[in-house]
Amino acid sequence: TMAHSKALLVLENFIGGKFVPCSSYIDSYNPSTGEVYCRVPDSGKEEVEAAVKAAKYAFPIWSSKSPLERSQILNKLADLIEHDLEAFAQAESKDQGKTITFSRTVDIPRAVYNFRFFASSILHHTTECTEMATMGCVHYTSRTPVGVAGLISPWNLPLYLLTWKIAPAIACGNTVVAKPSEMTSVTAWMMCKLLEKAGVPHGVVNVVFGTGTKAGEALVCHPDVPLISFTGSTLTAQRITEKSAPHCKRLSLELGGKNPAIIFDDADLSQCIPTTLRSSFANQGEICLCTSRIFVQKGIYNEFLKRFVAEAKKWKIGNPSDPTVDVGALISKEHLEKVRSYVKKAQAEGARVLCGEGVDSLALPTGNLKGYFMLPTVITEVKDESCCMQEEIFGPVTCVVPFDTEEEVIERANSVKYGLAATVWSSNVGRVHRVAQRLQSGLVWTNCWLVRDLNLPFGGMKASGIGREGAKDSYEFFTEVKTITIKH
Ligand code: NAD
């Protein structure tokens, strides 16, 4: 309309190798200014139908290519994204609100690496074989791609998490219909522009943009999509499970967390404090692996708290495109309000807010006054039963509480519905092993955080998910196995 002073970026769906416009669109905001700057297709059944059809058509062609041919195409795509790394990083920062430093050093390099990693790992899988001499038989297993994979990703690490699904799915020979979050669709659309040049045949990767309830659900309910790989909230996963049940679909669910950090008296605080600040506040606390419950042993509790809060106050908030900024904007106005409401609830219960929201003043550049910003916030004197200690907040808010014994802290760390990631800080190697073994958590990092080897399984226990992703795990998820017996 006339009211828009600047031209809006308008995205189109990518179906069968072509960009196709949609009949209706959703407004997408720049979280650091609060302005609408982009329009995202509001796809539904019709668009999903077309994308699934294109993916089905491409499946026999793509699945019959050798792993080496697919590997070369994935490597080419990685090179092309890497060539445009800066443009992708700027787009991700603008679309999501994250700092340019984070998108430059984490999001986009990892998206590139996801393609390179699966381009390599797909070449190294072997299947099993057993011999049954007395029966004159050999048995072996054979793995084949499943068909059209439905991929649904969240807004916090947009291209990073979407490519973590696309890469293994197509490396294994499947074709895909992907639906990124309606709030962060730009980098997926940019990637589509590179597919042809990389040599990805038409229809192998289709991207349908739109909301979860319309486009997402159409994909989940489509009878010709036998597997769904989903990363997002536990609530949405329940809905997807219900909706896909009549079709008995194969599901991989990577969900929320309420991740503890357990810090013993003998922890090296010079390592622990900066890492725990990052694990609490990196990407505005909008990472499923972020720490939000910090348990500190009594002997160092006061010292830890004092140093942690002093350091948290140093994090610079401001325009995400400024490379000196540490804290960008949260994804949306609604999400900001939700995160803030948790701080209010904690205060109403008698907890103390030591820094951040409501305590320190937020000084923003004039261009960012309408952005969705919030300071790193540390809460203490909060009960384990409080919603701030039980529910996923998914923002720059962390709670710090004291503990006495190893036994006690394990029980308290496990007393939430989630089980995604945990960190343990101690210089006693026996203790580190004991605690790691007993934590109900899909990932345990001791004396570090977010150090990943993509070969190994990633995923959560309890309400944090079903299934694992990784070199072997993704290969198993994205292929069907068959046992064949040969009698001679
Ligand atoms: P969300 O569940 O609201 O949305 C995720 C995706 O699902 C989006 O693309 C959305 O459009 C779609 N969706 C929503 N409703 C749907 C429906 N009924 N059917 C099909 N698709 C639907 O999650 P979010 O707010 O985008 O992301 C934040 C959540 O993701 C947090 O809970 C976070 O912990 C979790 N997360 C988990 C991991 C992990 O690896 N375990 C990684 C990142 C984020």
Side-chain angles (χ1 to χ4, degrees), residues 151-157 160-161 164-165 179-184 210-220 228 230-237 239-240 243 253-259 286-289 331 335 338 392 394 418 420 443 458-460 464-465 469:
L151 314 177
I152 301 176
S153 57
W155 48 255
N156 63 329
L157 300 165
Y160 171 136
L161 288 173
W164 174 236
K165 299 185 185 304
K179 195 210 77 68
S181 167
E182 62 274 29
M183 286 182 273
T184 53
T211 64
T213 45
K214 258 177 87 180
E217 237 168 91
L219 188 55
V220 167
I228 300 286
F230 170 78
T231 299
S233 66
T234 302
L235 207 63
T236 305
R239 175 98 183 151
I240 289 176
K243 286 281 161 182
L253 306 171
E254 296 288 346
L255 316 176
K258 188 66 191 173
N259 312 309
E286 295 169 329
I287 305 180
C288 54
L289 306 166
I331 184 66
H335 188 58
K338 183 187 147 197
E392 182 182 50
F394 220 54
Y418 295 105
L420 186 58
L443 304 136
F458 177 95
S464 292
E469 299 177 313

Side-chain angles (χ1 to χ4, degrees), residues 207-406:
V207 182
V208 175
F209 298 103
T211 64
T213 45
K214 258 177 87 180
E217 237 168 91
L219 188 55
V220 167
C221 296
H222 199 293
D224 296 334
V225 180
L227 84 187
I228 300 286
S229 174
F230 170 78
T231 299
S233 66
T234 302
L235 207 63
T236 305
Q238 286 166 356
R239 175 98 183 151
I240 289 176
T241 306
E242 281 172 26
K243 286 281 161 182
S244 63
H247 304 279
C248 291
K249 294 197 182 198
R250 186 187 296 197
L251 301 179
S252 168
L253 306 171
E254 296 288 346
L255 316 176
K258 188 66 191 173
N259 312 309
I262 300 175
I263 302 168
F264 287 96
D265 282 343
D266 60 355
D268 174 359
L269 289 186
S270 70
Q271 297 281 325
C272 170
I273 289 174
T275 305
T276 307
L277 282 158
R278 272 199 311 119
S279 75
S280 297
F281 303 127
N283 206 47
Q284 298 70 246
E286 295 169 329
I287 305 180
C288 54
L289 306 166
C290 273
T291 301
S292 58
R293 296 181 293 146
I294 306 177
F295 295 95
V296 187
Q297 208 166 12
K298 283 259 172 72
I300 54 163
Y301 181 73
N302 288 333
E303 187 197 350
F304 176 89
L305 201 56
K306 199 171 132 220
R307 285 169 65 180
F308 188 79
V309 170
E311 291 300 316
K313 282 174 180 259
K314 291 184 190 159
W315 281 47
K316 182 178 168 187
I317 193 163
N319 192 334
S321 66
D322 174 348
T324 67
V325 159
D326 306 301
V327 187
L330 272 67
I331 184 66
S332 67
K333 200 170 178 205
E334 294 71 29
H335 188 58
L336 174 65
E337 274 159 19
K338 183 187 147 197
V339 176
R340 278 186 176 150
S341 76
Y342 276 100
V343 182
K344 290 230 168 64
K345 280 185 216 164
Q347 281 170 315
E349 290 171 357
R352 277 178 63 208
V353 180
L354 297 184
C355 66
E357 177 65 17
V359 175
D360 298 301
S361 61
L362 186 62
L364 291 166
T366 45
N368 298 102
L369 293 172
K370 290 194 172 138
Y372 318 132
F373 292 89
M374 178 171 169
L375 290 165
T377 299
V378 181
I379 303 178
T380 186
E381 289 169 38
V382 55
K383 293 198 179 66
D384 286 6
E385 306 76 53
S386 159
C387 61
C388 286
M389 287 286 279
Q390 292 288 328
E391 294 169 25
E392 182 182 50
I393 301 175
F394 220 54
V397 179
T398 200
C399 299
V400 187
V401 292
F403 75 91
D404 279 312
T405 67
E406 187 178 314

